[in-house]
C-alpha cells in the first residue's frame, strides 16, 4: 500500500523533536513544548488538506476537476463511522497521484446543494466528473471506494493493446466486457453504454488479434463477456438492448451476497435465489444447500440465467429485516426485490430436482408469493422501520435516544394532561354552578313558605269582616224604614 510521503516525513520530524525533548534539560522544555505544538498543528493542517471541506461556492469551481464528495450530516452515526475511512481515501488518492480531489460537504448546512445533486440520505458518496454525477453504492471500505474512484475517473472504455494485457485483465477481473472490432454503430452504442454503467464495472476494447485461440467469435464486431471460466456473446435479436444485457451479465452466475450486493442485484431486474447459511457454524445441511444452488447456477444457465441470480448469504439478519419475518438457517429463499415479494419452498429441498422444480414454480407463477408492496405491507414496513430506527438509536446512543424521543413524548404527555385537567375543571365548575342554583332555588322556596303560611292565617279574618259588612248592608234597609 502506498503512503503519503509528505505526511510520513512530517511524522519523522515530529519524532525527532520528541527524542530531542528527552535529551534536553528541563529548562528548555518550554521551547520544546512550543515546537511540538507547532509541529502538531502543521501535521493536522496537512491531514485536513487531504480532504477539503466544501461550501456553496463549490458549485461554480467543481467543473474543472474530478471530485469525490461525501455528503454527510453531523448527527449521522454512519457518517461518523465513515469519517476515518474517508481521510484514508483522501491520503491514498493524493499519494498515488490520482487526479481525483476528495471533499466533504455538510448536507444539512447546504441543503440546496444536496438537493441539486440528488442527495436523499446520509452518507452519500458521489463522483462528479464534468456535468455527470455518479453514485457510489458499494461497501464503505477504503479499497472499494478507491477502486470506484479510479474506475469512474478514467475513460469509459479502455484499450487492450496486447495479449499480455488481455491475459492480465482476465486474471484481475471476475467479469470482463470487451468490444472486438473497428468503428461501427455497435461500438458507438457500447461507448454510450459504458459511460452510463461504468459505476458498476470496467469496459474494454481490443482487436481480434489479442484473443486466445480457444475463443471463437461468430462475427465482428462483437461484444463479449468473460466470466465463470467461459465467454458469452451479445446477440441483439435474442438479448434485446445492449445496456439491459450488460446490466444482467455484470455479475458472476453464483456469488456471495450481502446487503450492498443484493441492492445492486435488484437493479438487474432478476429474481435472487439465496441459500441462507451460517458460515461461522457450518453444518452438513448448509453445505448441501449451497452446493445445490451452485449446481443450478452452472448446469441450468440456459434455463434460468435470464431471470435468476444465484448465491448464498451468511446469516439471516438482513433477510429477516427485508421480509419483516423470520427465516430459518439453513434454508432457501427467492426474493423479488422489485416488488418486495419472496418465495419459500413448501417442503424441504433435498435434491437438485426438488430445487429445480421450486425455481420453475416461481417462474411459471404457481408458487405462492408472500410479502409484497401492498397497502398493508407498506403500513407494516413503516412501523417496522420506525421500530428498527428507534432501537438502533438507543443502542448507539441512549442519551441521544432519550432526548430525541423522550422530549417530544414528554411535551405530548403534558399537553394531554393539560387538556384532561382543563376538561375536569370545567366540569367541576359546572357542577358547582348547578349546586348554587339548586341552593338558591331552595332558599327561595323557604322564603315563599312563610308568606304562604301568613296568607293562610289572614284569610279567615278577611272573610269575617266581609260577612259583617254584608250583615250590616242587610240591616240597613230596615233601619232606614224605622227612621
Amino acid at each position: 500500500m502506498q503512503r503519503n510521503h509528505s505526511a510520513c516525513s512530517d511524522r519523522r520530524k515530529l519524532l525527532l523533536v520528541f527524542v530531542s525533548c528527552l535529551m534536553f534539560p528541563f529548562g528548555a522544555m518550554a521551547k520544546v513544548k512550543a515546537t511540538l505544538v507547532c509541529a502538531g498543528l502543521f501535521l493536522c493542517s496537512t491531514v485536513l488538506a487531504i480532504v477539503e471541506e466544501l461550501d456553496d461556492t463549490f458549485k461554480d469551481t467543481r467543473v474543472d476537476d474530478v471530485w469525490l464528495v461525501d455528503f454527510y450530516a453531523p448527527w449521522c452515526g454512519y457518517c461518523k463511522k465513515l469519517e476515518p475511512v474517508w481521510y484514508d481515501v483522501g491520503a491514498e488518492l493524493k499519494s498515488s497521484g490520482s487526479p481525483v480531489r476528495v471533499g466533504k460537504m455538510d448536507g444539512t448546512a447546504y441543503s440546496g446543494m444536496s438537493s441539486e445533486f440528488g442527495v436523499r440520505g446520509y452518507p452519500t458518496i458521489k463522483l462528479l466528473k464534468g456535468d455527470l454525477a455518479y453514485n457510489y453504492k458499494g461497501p464503505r471500505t477504503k479499497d472499494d471506494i478507491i477502486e470506484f474512484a479510479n474506475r469512474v475517473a478514467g475513460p469509459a472504455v479502455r484499450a487492450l493493446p496486447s495479449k499480455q494485457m488481455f491475459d492480465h485483465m482476465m486474471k484481475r477481473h471476475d467479469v470482463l466486457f470487451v468490444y472486438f472490432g473497428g468503428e461501427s454503430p455497435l461500438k458507438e452504442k457500447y461507448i454510450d453504454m459504458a459511460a452510463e454503467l461504468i459505476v458498476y464495472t470496467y469496459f474494454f476494447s481490443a482487436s481480434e488479434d489479442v484473443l486466445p485461440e480457444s475463443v471463437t467469435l461468430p462475427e465482428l464486431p462483437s461484444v463479449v463477456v468473460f466470466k465463470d471460466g467461459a465467454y458469452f456473446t451479445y446477440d441483439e435479436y435474442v438479448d434485446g438492448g445492449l445496456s439491459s444485457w450488460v446490466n444482467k451479465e455484470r455479475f458472476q452466475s453464483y456469488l456471495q451476497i450481502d446487503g450492498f450486493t443484493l441492492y445492486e442485484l435488484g437493479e438487474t431486474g432478476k429474481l435472487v435465489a439465496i441459500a441462507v447459511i451460517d458460515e461461522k457454524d457450518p453444518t452438513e445441511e448448509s453445505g448441501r444447500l449451497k452446493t445445490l444452488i451452485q449446481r443450478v447456477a452452472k448446469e441450468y444457465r440456459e434455463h434460468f440465467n435470464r431471470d435468476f441470480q444465484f448465491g448464498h448469504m451468511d446469516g439471516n439478519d438482513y433477510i429477516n429485516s427485508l421480509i419483516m419475518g423470520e427465516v430459518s438457517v439453513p434454508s432457501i429463499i427467492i426474493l423479488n426485490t422489485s416488488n418486495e415479494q419472496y418465495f419459500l419452498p413448501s417442503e424441504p429441498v433435498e435434491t437438485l430436482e426438488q430445487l429445480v422444480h421450486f425455481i420453475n414454480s416461481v417462474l411459471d407463477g404457481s408458487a405462492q408469493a408472500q410479502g409484497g408492496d401492498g397497502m398493508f405491507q407498506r403500513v407494516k414496513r413503516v412501523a417496522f422501520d420506525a421500530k428498527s430506527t428507534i432501537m438502533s438509536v438507543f443502542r448507539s446512543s441512549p442519551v441521544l435516544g432519550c432526548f430525541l424521543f423522550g422530549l417530544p413524548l414528554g411535551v405530548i404527555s403534558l399537553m394531554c394532561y393539560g387538556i384532561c385537567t382543563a376538561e375536569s375543571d370545567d366540569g367541576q365548575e359546572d357542577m358547582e354552578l348547578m349546586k348554587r342554583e339548586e341552593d338558591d332555588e331552595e332558599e327561595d322556596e323557604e322564603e315563599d313558605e312563610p308568606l304562604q303560611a301568613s296568607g293562610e292565617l289572614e284569610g279567615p279574618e278577611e272573610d269575617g269582616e266581609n260577612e259583617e259588612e254584608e250583615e250590616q248592608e242587610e240591616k240597613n234597609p230596615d233601619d232606614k224604614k224605622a227612621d
Side-chain angles (χ1 to χ4, degrees):
M1 182 182 68
Q2 297 180 345
R3 297 180 180 271
N4 190 332
H5 298 295
S6 60
C8 290
S9 61
D10 293 334
R11 294 190 185 96
R12 293 192 189 99
K13 293 177 182 178
L14 188 60
L15 181 60
L16 290 174
V17 172
F18 180 75
V19 172
S20 63
C21 169
L22 297 177
M23 298 175 64
F24 285 170
F26 291 101
M29 287 300 294
K31 295 182 180 180
V32 173
K33 288 180 180 179
T35 306
L36 285 171
V37 171
C38 294
L41 292 174
F42 176 75
L43 182 59
C44 291
S45 63
T46 303
V47 173
L48 292 175
I50 294 172
V51 177
E52 302 181 39
E53 190 72 35
L54 306 175
D55 55 24
D56 51 3
T57 61
F58 172 68
K59 178 181 178 181
D60 301 323
T61 60
R62 75 171 185 85
V63 182
D64 297 332
D65 297 300
V66 179
W67 281 90
L68 184 66
V69 182
D70 168 31
F71 294 88
Y72 70 95
W75 44 262
C76 173
Y78 294 106
C79 300
K80 294 177 182 178
K81 187 176 180 180
L82 176 63
E83 187 173 4
V85 177
W86 198 248
Y87 281 105
D88 289 341
V89 169
E92 183 75 13
L93 290 174
K94 190 178 181 72
S95 64
S96 64
S98 172
V100 179
R101 299 177 65 179
V102 181
K104 55 187 298 190
M105 178 179 289
D106 185 350
T108 60
Y110 305 102
S111 56
M113 292 286 291
S114 299
S115 300
E116 183 176 344
F117 287 112
V119 176
R120 299 180 179 177
Y122 302 106
T124 294
I125 299 173
K126 287 180 177 285
L127 188 134
L128 308 176
K129 182 180 177 183
D131 296 330
L132 301 176
Y134 297 92
N135 290 330
Y136 175 71
K137 301 176 182 178
R140 295 180 185 130
T141 62
K142 184 191 74 171
D143 294 336
D144 289 306
I145 295 174
I146 289 175
E147 198 272 338
F148 164 81
N150 289 330
R151 180 176 70 247
V152 180
V157 178
R158 292 168 166 82
L160 296 176
S162 64
K163 288 186 176 182
Q164 290 79 6
M165 183 63 71
F166 179 81
D167 294 338
H168 174 70
M169 291 300 168
M170 285 284 293
K171 295 177 182 178
R172 183 177 178 183
H173 299 283
D174 296 324
V175 180
L176 189 70
F177 289 95
V178 186
Y179 169 85
F180 293 98
E183 299 296 329
S184 67
L186 180 60
K187 185 175 183 179
E188 294 178 1
K189 292 181 182 179
Y190 183 76
I191 294 174
D192 293 339
M193 175 275 307
E196 175 188 356
L197 301 181
I198 195 173
V199 292
Y200 301 122
T201 187
Y202 287 92
F203 298 95
F204 299 91
S205 65
S207 64
E208 190 180 8
D209 299 336
V210 305
L211 281 172
E213 296 180 357
S214 57
V215 178
T216 304
L217 300 180
E219 61 180 359
L220 289 176
S222 292
V223 178
V224 184
V225 58
F226 297 86
K227 67 177 186 177
D228 302 328
Y231 65 95
F232 309 95
T233 305
Y234 167 67
D235 188 338
E236 183 177 4
Y237 299 102
V238 177
D239 301 316
L242 180 60
S243 296
S244 175
W245 178 77
V246 170
N247 195 34
K248 291 183 177 181
E249 294 288 349
R250 61 188 175 90
F251 291 101
Q252 295 175 280
S253 299
Y254 180 90
L255 70 162
Q256 182 172 354
I257 299 173
D258 55 17
F260 290 104
T261 309
L262 187 60
Y263 179 83
E264 290 191 19
L265 289 173
E267 298 181 351
T268 65
K270 291 184 177 183
L271 302 174
V272 187
I274 304 175
V276 183
I277 62 176
D278 186 359
E279 293 187 335
K280 297 178 182 178
D281 185 20
T283 61
E284 183 179 352
E285 178 70 8
S286 296
R288 186 175 58 80
L289 292 180
K290 184 178 177 180
T291 302
L292 290 178
I293 289 283
Q294 289 174 326
R295 288 185 59 187
V296 170
K298 182 178 180 180
E299 299 176 15
Y300 288 82
R301 173 184 165 83
E302 295 297 328
H303 296 85
F304 299 134
N305 180 70
R306 187 182 301 275
D307 302 297
F308 288 90
Q309 175 67 48
F310 299 93
H312 73 272
M313 179 174 284
D314 182 19
N316 61 352
D317 292 339
Y318 189 85
I319 295 293
N320 291 343
S321 64
L322 196 65
I323 68 173
M324 297 178 290
E326 185 75 21
V327 175
S328 60
V329 179
S331 63
I332 289 178
I333 185 172
I334 294 180
L335 300 173
N336 186 344
T337 56
S338 62
N339 59 8
E340 299 183 3
Q341 288 184 344
Y342 63 95
F343 304 85
L344 296 172
S346 57
E347 57 183 13
V349 176
E350 298 180 354
T351 63
L352 183 64
E353 289 74 18
Q354 288 178 322
L355 179 57
V356 172
H357 175 73
F358 171 54
I359 297 174
N360 278 321
S361 66
V362 173
L363 193 59
D364 61 26
S366 60
Q368 181 181 2
Q370 303 182 50
D373 54 359
M375 183 58 65
F376 174 76
Q377 290 295 324
R378 292 179 184 179
V379 174
K380 185 178 178 182
R381 171 60 64 185
V382 171
F384 183 84
D385 291 342
K387 178 183 176 182
S388 301
T389 302
I390 293 172
M391 294 300 295
S392 63
V393 170
F394 273 99
R395 284 194 206 100
S396 60
S397 179
V399 176
L400 179 62
C402 293
F403 178 77
L404 290 178
F405 301 104
L407 182 60
L409 289 175
V411 173
I412 294 172
S413 301
L414 290 175
M415 292 175 62
C416 295
Y417 176 76
I419 293 171
C420 296
T421 306
E423 290 179 354
S424 63
D425 291 343
D426 292 342
Q428 237 175 1
E429 291 177 0
D430 294 340
M431 292 293 293
E432 291 177 359
L433 184 60
M434 292 175 64
K435 286 181 179 180
R436 288 176 184 174
E437 291 177 353
E438 291 177 357
D439 294 340
D440 294 340
E441 290 177 356
E442 290 177 358
E443 290 177 359
D444 294 341
E445 290 176 357
E446 290 176 356
E447 290 176 357
D448 292 341
E449 285 178 358
L451 293 175
Q452 290 176 358
S454 62
E456 291 174 356
L457 293 173
E458 293 175 356
E461 293 180 358
E462 291 179 355
D463 292 341
E465 291 177 356
N466 290 337
E467 290 176 358
E468 290 177 357
E469 289 177 357
E470 289 176 358
E471 288 177 357
Q472 289 178 359
E473 288 178 356
E474 290 176 355
K475 291 178 180 181
N476 285 340
D478 296 334
D479 293 340
K480 288 179 180 179
K481 287 180 183 181
D483 294 340

